[in-house]
Amino acid sequence: MNLLSILLQAPAGGSQWSGILMMVVIVAIFYFFMIRPQQKKQKEIYEQFKYLDYARIVFTSAKTGQRVDQIFPLIQESYENSRKRVQTSVLNDVLVDAQLMNPTTTFNGGRLKIFYANQVAVCPPTFVLFSNDPQYLHFSYKRYLENRLREAFGFEGTPIHIICRKRD
């Protein structure tokens, strides 16, 4: 099972978060007191871990045990999300809609055309896009597609791996 739970003690008054993790992640932050509202603190954490935006965050109290009972259900849910399989026809419908909402731009001298896609693995969910030329896939468009897949199929708590290949 590709699962990592991180238990962090929130720094008193500051936010010194660093590093990048790319697997199923639950971030449980134990705190003695929170000066800032949790929603603001959660936003700060996501800003520090830009490529960890899929992670589930739960604020808990080491002293009172508050919300500790939420950690294991989040772990279970994230693991189940990482094991999801998506039907190819539904996947392709979502990708067509995503491309209609936000068409690809010219990058590296050409425009990406995605012909179809398949899910080839789980843990983490891995998708292969068959296109005219993989070099035309800009990283920002790849992130856009990851976000659309996460939104459409509920891949909260798990990374999504996208591989772009040239159609034969």
Side-chain angles (χ1 to χ4, degrees):
M1 170 163 57
N2 293 331
L3 173 68
L4 173 64
S5 292
I6 303 174
L7 304 176
L8 302 172
Q9 181 173 328
S15 61
Q16 299 298 320
W17 311 99
S18 62
I20 297 173
L21 303 167
M22 301 307 281
M23 59 184 65
V24 173
V25 176
I26 305 298
V27 179
I29 300 177
F30 290 96
Y31 62 91
F32 295 105
F33 60 92
M34 290 299 280
I35 298 171
R36 297 177 213 138
Q38 290 178 6
Q39 191 172 18
K40 184 177 179 182
K41 191 62 171 172
Q42 188 170 353
K43 185 178 176 185
E44 287 179 23
I45 292 168
Y46 283 132
E47 286 174 3
Q48 291 290 323
F49 291 109
K50 290 190 188 304
Y51 293 95
L52 199 57
D53 59 347
Y54 62 86
R56 308 297 293 275
I57 297 175
V58 61
F59 292 91
T60 63
S61 171
K63 187 174 183 179
T64 67
Q66 183 180 16
R67 290 190 288 277
V68 170
D69 60 334
Q70 293 179 9
I71 296 172
F72 287 105
L74 285 177
I75 291 171
Q76 182 65 33
E77 182 183 345
S78 296
Y79 177 70
E80 288 170 6
N81 289 344
S82 75
R83 307 275 314 156
K84 282 184 184 177
R85 287 212 172 263
V86 177
Q87 190 176 16
T88 301
S89 61
V90 177
L91 171 64
N92 286 307
D93 289 344
V94 168
L95 289 175
V96 166
D97 288 345
Q99 291 175 87
L100 290 173
M101 288 174 49
N102 185 11
T104 60
T105 59
T106 301
F107 178 67
N108 280 345
R111 183 180 302 270
L112 179 73
K113 292 180 187 175
I114 300 171
F115 300 113
Y116 63 96
N118 290 330
Q119 183 176 3
V120 296
V122 295
C123 270
T126 303
F127 301 92
V128 176
L129 308 178
F130 293 92
S131 68
N132 57 333
D133 194 335
Q135 74 174 354
Y136 298 153
L137 179 62
H138 192 272
F139 76 91
S140 63
Y141 200 77
K142 184 176 179 181
R143 297 269 301 158
Y144 166 74
L145 293 175
E146 288 173 7
N147 291 332
R148 294 298 68 78
L149 293 172
R150 189 176 317 289
E151 182 181 285
F153 303 115
F155 287 121
E156 290 87 10
T158 185
I160 295 173
H161 187 63
I162 293 179
I163 302 165
C164 190
R165 292 192 180 142
K166 187 170 183 164
R167 182 176 73 168
D168 292 330

